[in-house]
Amino acid sequence: MAFKIIASQCTQCGACEFECPSSAIKFKGEAYVIDPEQCTECKDAFDTQQCASVCPVPKTCVPA
Amino acid sequence: MSLPTISLDSLVSTKSYEQLLATAKSGGCASSSCGSSAKPDEMDSAVWEKIKDHPCYSEEAHHYFARMHVAVAPACNIQCNYCNRKYDCANESRPGVVSEKLTPDQALRKVIAVANEVPQLSVLGIAGPGDACFDWKKTKATFERVAREIPDIRLCLSTNGLALPDHVDELADMNVDHVTITINMVDPAIGAKIHPWIFYNHRRHTGIDAARILHKRQMLGLEMLTARGILTKINSVMIPSVNDEHLVEVNRWIKERGAFLHNVMPLISDPAHGTHFGLTGQRGPTALELKTLQDRLEGGAKLMRHCRQCRADAVGLLGEDRGQEFTTDRISDDIAYDASKREAYREVVTRERGDHVAAKSDAVGTLKATGSGKSLVIAVATRGGGRINEHFGHSKEFQVYEASQRGISFIGHRNVEQYCLGGRGADAALDSVITALDGIDIVLCAKIGDCPKDRLAEAGIRATDAYGYDYIETAISALYAAEFGSEPLAATA
């Protein structure tokens, strides 16, 4: 029940951070990371996972 | 030519107003109407007040004023086939590319550092990478902080328009009086070929559906800005066989909705940049194709021809980038704004501009008096201030003007490899400069050596430093009169 960000592909634009409805995404150290404890995969909030929908790079925001 | 000289250096290297004024005076209110309004005849005076210090909105202002961009809003809500956010590099110069992304606090320090050092600075823009209206919190925080420290700086931003309608009221409240919207289509079928997806209302939309939403939001945003009196410039990327013909239609739509200026830019497409268009071999237009389209659009929304497609973190006059002098590691943590240089510069520019307008008007009179039907294409080496004040060998670009009996019009610029590095000329570079100057009749510069001058002559291009430090228009009219007039030079002394 969580998504993750493939750091090597991430452009660090940060769109996922402010679209995430559960504040599960933070910039930590050198990269954006998703806290699996807080990630709900947007269930009950939106039809699609917000981070994956807004991410500009394919296969960068993926199921963990 | 007997006009005394003012180099731009004298305007930017000192802080003392008296010193600057003395230089400006020696440079001359020789022409009678010094101090007259610099407003172009055909322009509404309220509009002129807004754009007269904005280098990107006013062709006239770009000689005197500088802009800077801060990259604080890297997140974007649409994908464009000419953009690749995964890749950027310090040696590239194109929209969307930056060396470092900034937080609003870092941006504030950078703006203060530039304002202290670059007196020409008049405009702060947020222009990518990403979309200033989508990444709104950072855009807003940056504008608020900068406006508090430097109240007279003009704020502007660039957007794809998708999130624009949500923030128009806040933009108006913050006194943002210039917005650029990138609009490449009004037909969603064409839009789908340029924008593969958008993120809107919490989900990704693709294809025609996406383009239709984007189009609606762009038109709505433009109408809302117009209704609030915010000047809007439209950028369009010209993509051969995709939207090149269609931009005539785009021009019509945006003019009807009150856009002030239309800037048609050539697609930049290089496989090395890794963009979709770069990788699929979509070519950009040639300089001639671009000019032909721009000429066809004359009479619609006013066209911008002095765009340099600058980096999203560019600093300085158009055509120059001093961004590397102001990276975060070079800026101290506690830096205070010192208004003295900017204030002194503005006072001098006010005078210099009046003088320049008078010189321009004299120049047009001279052209008309020749009674010639011919035209001349002239390349000018300049560092700003509306004067011929750059050495041939130091030029990285030439500004190109066309002179005919109808007047003198700026038609664009040519980028060149700098020929003279460290005092010596490089032959290979000179060859490339000559190629870039194809079609030019005469080159005007502050100084040129005999060797490059002879090489240019062999290629059929005349070059002269006889008009060094004159106003560009004054020199061009003198040349034109000497070339085609019945009373050479008499009217211009």
Side-chain angles (χ1 to χ4, degrees), chain B residues 59 238 244-245 247-248 251 262-265 286-306 375 377 400-402 406 409-412:
Chain B
E59 195 175 297
M238 177 183 178
D244 46 352
E245 287 295 315
L247 289 179
V248 177
N251 185 267
H262 194 188
N263 176 25
V264 178
M265 307 177 296
T286 64
L288 184 66
E289 285 170 331
L290 179 67
K291 185 176 183 296
T292 306
L293 176 63
Q294 287 174 333
D295 289 346
R296 272 179 70 193
L297 298 177
E298 267 325 327
K302 195 171 157 31
L303 288 184
M304 169 166 175
R305 293 189 190 242
H306 62 285
S375 70
V377 183
V400 182
Y401 290 81
E402 188 166 359
R406 285 180 299 150
S409 51
F410 177 74
I411 55 171

Side-chain angles (χ1 to χ4, degrees), chain B residues 58-119:
Chain B
S58 161
E59 195 175 297
E60 198 262 359
H62 98 273
H63 293 295
Y64 299 107
F65 289 103
R67 67 5 186 163
M68 71 176 291
H69 294 153
V70 287
V72 293
C76 196
N77 49 357
I78 80 174
Q79 181 67 46
C80 302
N81 282 333
Y82 47 73
C83 177
N84 174 15
R85 280 173 281 165
K86 197 155 166 52
Y87 190 77
D88 57 38
C89 153
N91 297 320
E92 272 181 71
S93 188
R94 61 185 167 95
V97 168
V98 289
S99 306
E100 53 179 10
K101 294 163 191 164
L102 305 173
T103 64
D105 275 328
Q106 288 170 326
L108 173 64
R109 291 206 299 275
K110 179 168 175 172
V111 176
I112 291 173
V114 172
N116 289 349
E117 284 305 310
V118 182

Side-chain angles (χ1 to χ4, degrees), chain B residues 51 252 270 275 311 348 376 383 389 393 454 468:
Chain B
I51 65 159
R252 204 167 54 76
D270 180 336
T275 63
R311 289 169 60 95
V348 172
L376 266 186
R383 280 176 295 152
N389 52 11
D454 293 345

Side-chain angles (χ1 to χ4, degrees), chain A residues 8-15 17-19 32 46-48 50 52-57, chain B residues 73-77 79 85-87 101 134-138 197-199 201-204:
Chain A
S8 60
Q9 304 214 80
C10 173
T11 66
Q12 301 185 351
C13 76
E17 182 188 22
F18 65 77
E19 291 294 348
Y32 281 98
F46 298 107
D47 297 344
T48 61
Q50 299 295 287
S53 302
V54 76
C55 181
V57 188
Chain B
C76 196
N77 49 357
Q79 181 67 46
R85 280 173 281 165
K86 197 155 166 52
Y87 190 77
K101 294 163 191 164
F134 177 55
D135 212 339
W136 179 248
K137 277 188 187 159
K138 292 179 202 152
W197 59 262
I198 67 170
F199 183 79
N201 267 351
H202 301 291
R203 71 180 189 88
R204 191 182 274 211

Side-chain angles (χ1 to χ4, degrees), chain B residues 59-360:
Chain B
E59 195 175 297
E60 198 262 359
H62 98 273
H63 293 295
Y64 299 107
F65 289 103
R67 67 5 186 163
M68 71 176 291
H69 294 153
V70 287
V72 293
C76 196
N77 49 357
I78 80 174
Q79 181 67 46
C80 302
N81 282 333
Y82 47 73
C83 177
N84 174 15
R85 280 173 281 165
K86 197 155 166 52
Y87 190 77
D88 57 38
C89 153
N91 297 320
E92 272 181 71
S93 188
R94 61 185 167 95
V97 168
V98 289
S99 306
E100 53 179 10
K101 294 163 191 164
L102 305 173
T103 64
D105 275 328
Q106 288 170 326
L108 173 64
R109 291 206 299 275
K110 179 168 175 172
V111 176
I112 291 173
V114 172
N116 289 349
E117 284 305 310
V118 182
Q120 301 102 323
L121 182 70
S122 63
V123 169
L124 167 69
I126 299 180
D131 188 84
C133 286
F134 177 55
D135 212 339
W136 179 248
K137 277 188 187 159
K138 292 179 202 152
T139 297
K140 192 178 176 190
T142 304
F143 279 166
E144 284 175 346
R145 278 168 221 194
V146 172
R148 208 177 301 137
E149 296 290 325
I150 312 177
D152 71 329
I153 201 164
R154 300 263 185 180
L155 305 175
C156 65
L157 60 80
S158 184
T159 175
N160 58 47
L162 184 58
L164 171 64
D166 303 337
H167 302 296
V168 170
D169 288 330
E170 290 166 281
L171 289 170
D173 290 345
M174 287 195 294
N175 289 323
V176 171
D177 49 15
H178 306 91
V179 169
T180 296
I181 315 175
T182 300
I183 299 180
N184 301 313
M185 52 87 198
V186 292
D187 175 356
I190 292 173
K193 296 180 190 168
I194 304 169
H195 307 288
W197 59 262
I198 67 170
F199 183 79
Y200 180 66
N201 267 351
H202 301 291
R203 71 180 189 88
R204 191 182 274 211
H205 303 255
T206 56
I208 299 252
D209 172 39
R212 197 171 284 133
I213 296 168
L214 179 61
H215 166 62
K216 273 192 181 164
R217 299 283 290 174
Q218 288 176 331
M219 295 302 129
L220 175 63
L222 171 56
E223 286 162 7
M224 289 173 76
L225 291 170
T226 302
R228 283 159 186 79
I230 297 176
L231 280 187
T232 309
K233 168 163 77 72
I234 305 302
N235 278 352
S236 297
V237 181
M238 177 183 178
I239 310 159
S241 77
V242 175
N243 72 346
D244 46 352
E245 287 295 315
H246 182 59
L247 289 179
V248 177
E249 183 78 0
V250 172
N251 185 267
R252 204 167 54 76
W253 277 65
I254 59 156
K255 188 189 184 187
E256 281 169 12
R257 283 159 184 78
F260 167 71
L261 201 61
H262 194 188
N263 176 25
V264 178
M265 307 177 296
L267 170 71
I268 298 174
S269 161
D270 180 336
H273 299 157
T275 63
H276 174 82
F277 280 148
L279 297 173
T280 54
Q282 169 65 52
R283 72 174 181 90
T286 64
L288 184 66
E289 285 170 331
L290 179 67
K291 185 176 183 296
T292 306
L293 176 63
Q294 287 174 333
D295 289 346
R296 272 179 70 193
L297 298 177
E298 267 325 327
K302 195 171 157 31
L303 288 184
M304 169 166 175
R305 293 189 190 242
H306 62 285
C307 177
R308 305 298 203 279
Q309 295 185 284
C310 56
R311 289 169 60 95
D313 56 4
V315 172
L317 293 163
L318 294 198
E320 87 176 5
D321 185 7
R322 298 177 59 185
Q324 294 304 312
E325 296 169 43
F326 300 99
T327 49
T328 305
D329 57 323
R330 294 179 188 218
I331 299 169
S332 117
D333 281 346
D334 54 357
I335 180 167
Y337 175 49
D338 169 8
S340 58
K341 268 196 186 180
R342 287 179 71 235
E343 283 171 3
Y345 181 75
R346 276 169 182 268
E347 295 208 47
V348 172
V349 165
T350 306
R351 287 169 175 270
E352 174 81 352
R353 268 179 147 173
D355 203 25
H356 190 183
V357 168
K360 271 190 198 169

